[in-house]
């Protein structure tokens, strides 16, 4: 065949030839890819069957617990039993004494007097809301009840519990060395309480509630102390027999206290010409004594001026360079520097008193176990103040 004819045919059928070559290449590539895929599929299937076999072997195997694990589980079970047995003691409460109206009023008055005495002995300042009484200052939220002649019998049990809570809370605060008790609030119980519920002694934002195991009564207290007083207070609540929960605590710097006046008893200036700070010569004669700031007629102990009248002392401010020169010469000492700066804090606590639920029919006795239901016998009611 002529060479030119062959070249002509190749050029004429070039596309057909290229297409055939591509088709042959695709077919060969597909066969090779299918072979590799079938191999991978076979390997994956065998691995899957192998894992299924292991799973069935573990599932059907007889698992045996190791003896060391048995001992550990036994110790955990014993610890759980001890915890549940001891946890119930947290909610124990001593039985309340059955009191009539007269007995409770006498006991309430004695308790309030005792709390005021404790506040005085511990140098704790308390509010003054009993202007009719000269012997005590603070009623500890029971002021409306101190003037009533009789309290309803169904309200006495709840008042007994609240009085016990107020007593315990106050004892904790007094023993924590706080500076002052600013506020103490409880829930109103009697009609007299509700009439005075707008006053600062009552907590109207929260109410008592009962859950499946306990009765919760809310209280609110505000006091002023240093930083260590907060720690002592929280530690004190943790040690009380009644279970108290500090629901919230707010701590803010105390407000600036008013400066004490220089005037007053024993601190004024004698209009007759002598100093009224004590020890002055009323006749105006010279007689300087220790502690005087001036000399001359009428100067007495601690007098501020001379010549028959009190004058303001002049304060001289030396420049720092002059003070440093005196320090270097050994004629004075450098100014003292405060190392510890402690400031008073205002602390507001919202407290929950938690007591176990009582199965008594009277709801007012909830959280107060009845005498005779087990435990030690209740103490006799306190005698009247005059007895």
């Amino acid at each position: 065949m002529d060479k030119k004819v062959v070249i002509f045919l190749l050029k004429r059928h070039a596309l057909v030839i290229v297409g055939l070559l591509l088709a042959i290449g695709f077919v060969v590539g597909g066969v090779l890819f299918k072979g590799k895929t079938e191999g991978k599929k076979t390997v994956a299937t065998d691995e899957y069957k192998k894992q299924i076999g292991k799973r069935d072997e573990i599932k059907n195997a007889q698992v045996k617990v190791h003896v060391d694990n048995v001992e550990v589980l036994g110790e955990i079970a014993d610890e759980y039993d001890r915890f549940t047995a001891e946890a119930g003691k947290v909610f124990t409460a001593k039985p309340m004494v059955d009191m009539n109206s007269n007995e409770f009023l006498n006991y309430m008055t004695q308790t309030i007097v005792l709390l005021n005495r404790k506040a005085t002995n511990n140098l704790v300042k308390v509010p003054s809301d009993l202007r009719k009484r000269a012997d005590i200052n603070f009623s500890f939220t029971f002021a409306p009840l101190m003037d009533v002649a009789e309290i309803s019998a169904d309200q006495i049990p709840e008042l007994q519990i609240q009085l016990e809570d107020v007593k315990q809370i106050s004892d904790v605060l007094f023993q924590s060395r706080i500076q002052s008790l600013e506020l103490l609030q409880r829930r109103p119980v009697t009609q007299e309480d509700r009439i005075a519920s707008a006053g600062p002694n009552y907590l109207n934002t929260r109410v008592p509630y009962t859950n499946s195991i306990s009765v919760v009564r809310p209280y609110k207290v505000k006091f002023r102390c240093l930083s260590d007083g907060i720690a002592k207070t929280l530690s004190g609540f943790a040690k009380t027999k009644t279970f108290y929960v500090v629901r919230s605590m707010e701590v803010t710097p105390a407000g600036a206290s008013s400066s004490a006046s220089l005037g007053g008893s024993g601190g004024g200036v004698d209009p007759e010409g002598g100093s009224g700070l004590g020890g002055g010569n009323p006749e105006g004669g010279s007689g300087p004594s220790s502690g005087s700031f001036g000399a001359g007629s009428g100067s007495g102990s601690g007098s501020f001026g001379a010549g028959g009248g009190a004058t303001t002392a002049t304060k001289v401010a030396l420049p720092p360079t002059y003070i440093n020169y005196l320090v270097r010469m050994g004629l004075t000492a450098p100014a003292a520097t405060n190392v510890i700066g402690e400031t008073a804090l205002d602390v507001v606590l919202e407290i929950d008193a938690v007591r176990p639920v009582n199965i008594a029919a009277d709801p007012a006795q909830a959280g107060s176990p009845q005498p005779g239901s087990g435990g030690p016998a209740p103490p006799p009611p306190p005698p009247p103040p005059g007895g």
Side-chain angles (χ1 to χ4, degrees):
M1 184 177 292
D2 190 1
K3 183 179 180 180
K4 293 182 179 180
V5 175
V6 173
I7 295 174
F8 173 76
L9 291 176
L10 290 175
K11 291 182 178 179
R12 183 176 181 180
H13 301 287
L15 294 177
V16 175
I17 295 171
V18 172
L20 290 174
L21 293 175
L22 291 175
I24 293 171
F26 283 138
V27 171
V28 173
V31 173
L32 296 176
F33 180 77
K34 180 180 179 182
K36 293 181 179 179
T37 304
E38 290 292 339
K40 292 181 179 180
K41 180 179 179 182
T42 301
V43 174
T45 303
D46 294 341
E47 183 66 22
Y48 175 74
K49 291 180 179 179
K50 182 179 179 181
Q51 298 300 329
I52 291 295
K54 290 182 178 180
R55 186 200 65 176
D56 294 339
E57 182 181 355
I58 295 174
K59 182 178 180 181
N60 299 326
Q62 297 294 330
V63 180
K64 295 182 179 180
V65 181
H66 196 273
V67 61
D68 295 339
N69 295 333
V70 174
E71 294 179 358
V72 173
L73 291 175
E75 293 176 358
I76 294 176
D78 294 340
E79 184 178 355
Y80 174 77
D81 293 337
R82 287 194 301 268
F83 173 78
T84 54
E86 295 292 332
K89 298 179 181 180
V90 174
F91 298 103
T92 57
K94 65 178 182 180
M96 292 292 176
V97 180
D98 289 331
M99 294 185 182
N100 56 33
S101 177
N102 187 41
E103 291 172 342
F104 173 74
L105 289 175
N106 290 335
Y107 177 66
M108 180 187 68
T109 303
Q110 291 180 3
T111 302
I112 293 174
V113 172
L114 178 61
L115 291 176
N116 278 271
R117 190 176 303 166
K118 288 183 178 180
T120 302
N121 295 339
N122 289 277
L123 304 179
V124 178
K125 182 181 178 182
V126 295
S128 179
D129 61 351
L130 291 176
R131 304 188 181 277
K132 297 181 181 180
R133 299 288 298 263
D135 54 339
I136 54 179
N137 295 325
F138 189 34
S139 67
F140 289 88
T141 73
F142 292 95
L145 303 180
M146 300 185 70
D147 296 330
V148 300
E150 187 176 1
I151 299 177
S152 177
D154 60 336
Q155 296 173 346
I156 293 178
E158 180 65 21
L159 289 174
Q160 284 183 259
I161 297 176
Q162 288 192 353
L163 181 60
E164 181 68 19
D165 288 339
V166 169
K167 181 180 178 181
Q168 292 186 17
I169 293 173
S170 301
D171 286 341
V172 169
L173 295 177
F174 296 158
Q175 294 173 3
S176 301
R177 296 297 183 182
I178 66 173
Q179 296 179 356
S180 62
L181 176 60
E182 306 291 334
L183 180 69
L184 181 61
Q185 292 182 338
R186 63 176 176 90
R187 286 292 303 175
V189 178
T190 65
Q191 183 65 25
E192 291 79 10
D193 289 340
R194 295 185 180 90
I195 294 175
S197 61
N201 292 334
Y202 298 96
L203 181 60
N204 299 315
T205 56
R206 297 182 57 212
V207 295
Y209 64 92
T210 303
N211 53 31
S212 59
I213 60 173
S214 62
V215 181
V216 181
R217 293 174 175 85
Y219 298 92
K220 187 174 183 180
V221 62
K222 178 181 179 182
F223 58 92
R224 180 169 296 181
C225 67
L226 299 178
S227 58
D228 63 336
I230 301 177
K232 292 180 180 179
T233 299
L234 297 179
S235 177
F237 283 123
K239 297 176 182 178
T240 56
K241 294 182 179 180
T242 303
F243 189 79
Y244 288 104
V245 177
V246 178
R247 176 178 290 269
S248 66
M249 180 175 66
E250 179 183 355
V251 181
T252 56
S257 59
S258 60
S259 59
S261 174
L262 291 177
S265 175
V269 178
D270 189 356
E272 298 296 332
S275 170
L277 292 175
N281 187 356
E283 301 296 333
S286 61
S289 61
S290 62
S292 61
F293 291 92
S297 175
S299 63
S301 174
S303 61
F304 289 93
T311 58
T312 304
T314 303
K315 183 178 180 181
V316 179
L318 299 177
T321 55
Y322 187 73
I323 296 177
N324 293 335
Y325 174 76
L326 295 177
V327 172
R328 289 195 302 271
M329 296 299 294
L331 300 177
T332 186
T337 303
N338 290 331
V339 179
I340 300 177
E342 186 80 24
T343 58
L345 302 172
D346 283 339
V347 184
V348 179
L349 298 181
E350 290 192 5
I351 305 170
D352 287 346
V354 184
R355 285 180 170 83
V357 174
N358 187 19
I359 60 176
D362 186 3
Q365 294 284 349
S368 175
Q370 293 291 319
S373 60

